[in-house]
């Protein structure tokens, strides 16, 4: 039997649902971080793996989501659902504006523009002390449901909804349009697709999914700081997608989970954990260019998207 | 017969060089116009202008429909395709990472504007799969529908390219060197396909280097040289015109 995206999703989330019973609070929190990283990476991959555009600025959506929820709950006194709704609005507007401007170009020029917009937001977060707390960030973000394990299940539920929605879109005519644009944008235009508009749509969907993950991250950490917007996190999201495999839907999600655990393990072993993480990830990508899940998927007879 | 596509005094300059220099031609319903000429005559540039890839400096492109005339001059490619002017390319232009079936599905989804329905699976759209399989059969690729386009032979990709151009139920079909780089057997399949499309009444503009092919499938032939129309008429008239020999072989 060939692997299916839906069954892979069900299997992974079923395992994640029983995980807190086996893991202590520390690993539950680590897993929650991995789920959010993974969701952000799947969102990123809508643009990268499915539409063929490499963004180096996805931390702006992650960070904008995290900051908006933190500001909403701490500075404006809004409830968590209201803050989440506000963050979706803010991330959506940022995606539309930066997408409209960045998508005037493709390839490396597009990547550089997204990087520039990401750094612009980082600079704003760093300088607007009264709103963002500058380099200290915002502390005391309330965690909905209080308990880490309960919040873990909220994260798991919301992530599942986001991933199911993305999978539905990618299996729809719109998803096939994205893949056609990725494969041959000129031909896509010749057969009648409004390529620029569809790229903007993909960019916005991608940004919103990453933004939702970021919005849930601030209450998990009970804080947010400018690191969430820094370009290194954009690069980390790219890494997660490639590590898991950008041509399989669930690949970047597994990439996000693995990234968190590789990083945590390396930190426990050596003070040169950044180097160890980099070497491990580099070796994995060199040995398995289609990503870990992509490799397994192909071995099981599945077709890479 | 009624005209379906009218090209009026079209010019395109690259610097001081006129790639297309005041070309006018008409494609009538149910007719095939062959466009010939030596390399650099401006044939592909003219096709690029008609299909919206290149904007002309002057001149007009008009599509004549039952509801009236539509000005296509300088309009985006996607608009021109949706209006019914489809094109297949000299170097087959397909979606290499998609299967034959998905290539046809995506072209049908684009032409029917079904991509705005993100809630349905693209494999379950009413009418799309049936039409995709019908087109695959029409061009002889019915046994290759699950094959990725990157694995097809050059000739098969040409056939797929033409099938994709047919997904719009074109009012006019533009074929750019459909037999270029093909074996004799593959060439025969393409000629058979063009004749089949002609019998179905699809008007075509065929740019072709193989003069035997173009004279056999065309109702009218237009010969270009140095961006201008050199001679036009029935195939036998153009074939025997001494100016054609001069253009191809010199004095």
């Amino acid at each position: 039997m060939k692997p299916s995206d839906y069954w892979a999703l069900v299997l992974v989330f079923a395992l994640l649902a029983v995980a807190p019973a086996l893991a202590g609070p520390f690993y539950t929190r680590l897993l929650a971080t991995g789920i959010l990283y993974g969701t952000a990476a799947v969102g990123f991959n809508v643009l990268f793996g499915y539409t063929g555009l490499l963004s180096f600025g996805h931390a702006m959506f992650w960070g904008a989501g995290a900051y908006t929820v933190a500001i909403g709950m701490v500075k404006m006194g809004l409830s968590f659902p209201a803050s989440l709704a506000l963050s979706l609005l803010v991330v959506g507007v940022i995606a539309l504006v930066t997408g409209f401007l960045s998508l005037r170009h493709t390839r490396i020029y597009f990547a550089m523009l997204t990087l520039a917009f990401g750094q612009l937001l980082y600079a704003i977060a760093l300088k607007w002390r009264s709103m963002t707390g500058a380099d200290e960030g915002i502390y005391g973000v309330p965690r909905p449901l209080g308990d880490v394990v309960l919040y873990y299940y909220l994260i798991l539920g919301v992530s599942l909804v986001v991933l199911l929605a993305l999978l539905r879109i990618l299996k729809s005519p719109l998803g096939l349009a994205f893949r056609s644009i990725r494969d041959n944008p000129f031909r896509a235009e010749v057969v009648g697709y409004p390529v620029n508009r569809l790229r903007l749509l993909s960019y916005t969907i991608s940004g919103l999914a990453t933004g939702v993950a970021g919005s849930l991250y601030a209450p998990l950490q009970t804080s947010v700081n400018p690191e969430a917007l820094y370009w290194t996190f954009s690069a980390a999201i790219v890494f997660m997608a490639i590590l898991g495999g950008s041509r399989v839907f669930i690949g970047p999600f597994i990439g996000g989970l693995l990234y968190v655990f590789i990083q945590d393990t390396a930190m426990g072993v050596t003070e040169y954990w950044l180097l160890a993480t980099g070497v491990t990830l580099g070796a994995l990508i060199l040995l398995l260019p289609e990503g870990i899940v992509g490799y397994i998927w192909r071995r099981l007879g599945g077709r890479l998207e | 017969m009624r005209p379906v596509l009218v090209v009026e005094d079209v010019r395109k300059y690259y610097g001081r060089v006129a790639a297309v220099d005041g070309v006018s031609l008409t494609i009538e319903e149910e007719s095939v116009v062959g466009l010939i000429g030596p390399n650099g005559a401006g044939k592909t540039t003219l096709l690029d202008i008609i299909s919206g890839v290149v904007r002309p400096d002057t001149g007009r492109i008009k599509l004549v429909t039952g509801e009236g005339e539509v000005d296509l001059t300088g309009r985006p490619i996607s608009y021109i395709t949706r209006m019914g002017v489809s094109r297949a390319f000299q170097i087959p232009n397909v979606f290499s990472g998609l299967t034959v079936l998905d290539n046809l599905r995506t072209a049908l989804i684009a032409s029917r504007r079904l991509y705005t329905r993100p809630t349905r699976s693209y494999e379950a759209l009413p009418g799309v799969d049936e039409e995709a399989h019908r087109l695959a059969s029409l061009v002889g690729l019915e046994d290759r529908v699950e094959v990725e386009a990157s694995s097809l032979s050059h000739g098969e990709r040409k056939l797929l390219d033409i099938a994709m151009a047919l997904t719009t139920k074109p009012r006019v079909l533009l074929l750019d060197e459909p037999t270029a780089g093909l074996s004799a057997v593959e060439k025969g399949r393409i000629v058979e396909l063009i004749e089949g499309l002609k019998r179905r009444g699809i008007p075509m503009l065929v740019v072709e280097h193989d003069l035997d092919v173009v004279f056999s499938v065309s109702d009218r032939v237009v010969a270009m040289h140095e961006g201008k129309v050199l001679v036009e008429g029935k195939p036998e008239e153009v074939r025997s015109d001494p100016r054609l020999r001069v253009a191809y072989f010199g004095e």
Side-chain angles (χ1 to χ4, degrees):
Chain A
M1 196 176 74
K2 287 185 180 177
S4 131
D5 290 319
Y6 282 105
W7 283 114
L9 198 60
V10 168
L11 178 67
V12 169
F13 273 74
L15 290 172
L16 287 171
V18 298
L22 307 169
F26 175 77
Y27 281 105
T28 300
R29 193 169 143 167
L30 206 61
L31 266 177
T33 305
I35 292 167
L36 293 178
Y37 279 13
T39 304
V42 173
F44 159 80
N45 203 45
V46 170
L47 189 67
F48 174 62
Y50 286 84
T51 318
L53 289 165
L54 173 59
S55 157
F56 261 119
H58 257 53
M60 86 177 120
F61 305 122
W62 169 274
Y67 266 102
T68 309
V69 162
I71 290 166
M73 294 180 84
V74 175
K75 307 251 174 184
M76 297 164 74
L78 297 175
S79 66
F80 174 68
S83 302
L84 191 61
L86 181 65
S87 82
L88 282 179
L89 184 70
V90 170
V91 171
V93 170
I94 290 172
L96 281 171
V97 173
T98 59
F100 177 77
L101 296 169
S102 307
L103 287 165
R104 289 160 181 268
H105 297 280
T106 53
R107 298 189 293 260
I108 190 67
Y109 309 102
F110 168 77
M112 289 298 107
L113 279 168
T114 54
L115 176 66
F117 283 122
Q119 287 302 95
L120 184 68
L121 241 67
Y122 169 74
I124 291 170
L126 212 55
K127 297 292 175 191
W128 196 2
R129 182 172 293 277
S130 62
M131 183 60 80
T132 64
D135 52 353
E136 289 170 10
I138 300 169
Y139 286 87
V141 181
R143 184 182 297 144
L145 310 173
D147 181 54
V148 168
V149 177
L150 287 177
Y151 190 59
Y152 171 90
Y153 282 107
L154 180 68
I155 285 175
L156 193 66
V158 174
S159 294
L160 181 61
V161 170
V162 170
L163 264 55
L164 282 172
L166 292 180
L167 187 54
R168 180 73 277 181
I169 290 170
L170 294 172
K171 294 284 178 194
S172 78
L174 185 61
L176 186 60
F178 289 163
R179 280 162 59 207
S180 305
I181 291 168
R182 173 198 70 194
D183 261 27
N184 190 339
F186 174 71
R187 184 55 163 163
E189 195 148 6
V190 173
V191 296
Y193 284 122
V195 170
N196 283 343
R197 265 189 287 156
L198 290 177
R199 275 178 170 155
L200 181 59
L201 186 57
S202 170
Y203 182 88
T204 307
I205 292 169
S206 170
L208 279 170
T210 302
V212 171
S215 305
L216 296 172
Y217 184 67
L220 176 70
Q221 299 293 103
T222 67
S223 66
V224 62
N225 64 55
E227 288 279 307
L229 285 160
Y230 198 48
W231 73 269
T232 50
F233 190 65
S234 294
I237 295 175
V238 177
F239 242 57
M240 292 170 208
I242 294 172
L243 177 66
S246 64
R247 304 303 276 263
V248 180
F249 178 76
I250 198 76
F253 187 79
I254 303 293
L257 285 169
L258 287 173
Y259 181 86
V260 168
F261 281 92
I262 291 171
Q263 195 180 43
D264 180 68
T265 307
M267 280 171 91
V269 172
T270 169
E271 62 181 298
Y272 303 108
W273 61 273
L274 259 177
L275 180 69
T277 306
V279 169
T280 310
L281 294 173
L284 278 171
I285 289 167
L286 278 174
L287 292 170
L288 301 172
E290 64 225 307
I292 293 170
V293 181
Y295 174 76
I296 297 168
W297 200 262
R298 204 165 45 75
R299 291 300 295 256
L300 292 172
R303 176 177 278 160
L304 301 181
E305 296 277 15
Chain B
M1 277 190 286
R2 200 170 59 90
V4 281
L5 188 83
V6 181
V7 176
E8 284 179 357
D9 196 25
V10 164
R11 289 167 205 274
K12 179 69 193 175
Y13 290 88
Y14 292 105
R16 288 183 178 178
V17 178
V20 175
D21 194 3
V23 170
S24 298
L25 63 86
T26 300
I27 302 170
E28 293 167 331
E29 56 186 11
E30 297 181 16
S31 76
V32 176
V33 175
L35 188 58
I36 61 171
N39 284 332
K43 309 180 297 291
T44 296
T45 305
L46 184 63
L47 233 58
D48 283 346
I49 290 170
I50 296 170
S51 57
V53 177
V54 169
R55 183 184 275 269
D57 294 328
T58 61
R60 286 183 72 200
I61 318 288
K62 289 186 299 184
L63 182 70
V64 185
T65 70
E67 294 86 49
E69 287 182 1
V70 182
D71 189 355
L72 301 180
T73 319
R75 300 298 296 262
I77 307 168
S78 53
Y79 173 84
I80 292 172
T81 305
R82 279 201 302 275
M83 289 312 297
V85 180
S86 276
R87 177 175 179 182
F89 292 81
Q90 182 180 355
I91 298 163
N93 210 326
V94 298
F95 301 108
S96 300
L98 304 184
T99 63
V100 168
L101 187 57
D102 280 351
N103 267 274
L104 293 169
R105 279 173 174 153
T106 198
L108 285 162
I109 285 166
S111 64
R112 296 179 186 184
R113 297 184 134 186
L114 298 174
Y115 49 84
T116 52
R117 297 183 189 177
T119 52
R120 299 191 77 143
S121 164
Y122 72 84
E123 293 170 341
L125 292 168
V128 169
D129 268 29
E130 294 82 348
E131 182 64 4
H133 281 285
R134 192 188 69 75
L135 287 167
S137 297
L138 181 72
V139 299
L141 292 176
E142 64 272 26
D143 297 330
R144 308 281 279 162
V145 287
E146 291 301 334
V147 174
E148 210 168 78
S150 59
S151 303
L152 296 177
S153 70
H154 180 66
E156 286 174 327
R157 275 192 282 171
K158 284 249 181 196
L159 289 165
L160 177 58
D161 199 7
I162 295 174
M164 286 167 72
L166 292 172
T167 54
T168 55
K169 292 193 166 53
R171 291 185 162 111
V172 181
L173 183 59
L174 311 174
L175 299 178
D176 193 359
E177 304 210 16
T179 70
L182 299 186
S183 67
V185 175
E186 289 172 325
K187 206 177 266 190
R189 281 175 76 180
I190 295 273
V191 170
E192 212 172 282
L193 177 62
I194 294 172
E195 283 170 346
L197 298 174
K198 188 178 168 182
R199 281 195 295 279
R200 285 161 191 259
I202 298 175
M204 282 177 270
L205 178 62
V206 182
V207 171
E208 182 56 60
H209 267 301
D210 187 324
L211 296 184
D212 290 334
V213 169
V214 85
F215 285 123
S216 74
V217 300
S218 305
D219 298 301
R220 216 154 48 78
V221 174
V222 176
M224 286 181 70
H225 184 50
E226 294 178 347
K228 293 186 165 89
V229 172
L230 181 71
V231 52
E232 69 175 297
K234 290 185 175 168
E236 58 276 15
E237 293 167 0
V238 175
R239 191 191 270 274
S240 58
D241 194 302
R243 286 175 292 174
L244 189 65
R245 190 171 296 274
V246 172
Y248 270 95
F249 304 113
E251 295 288 351

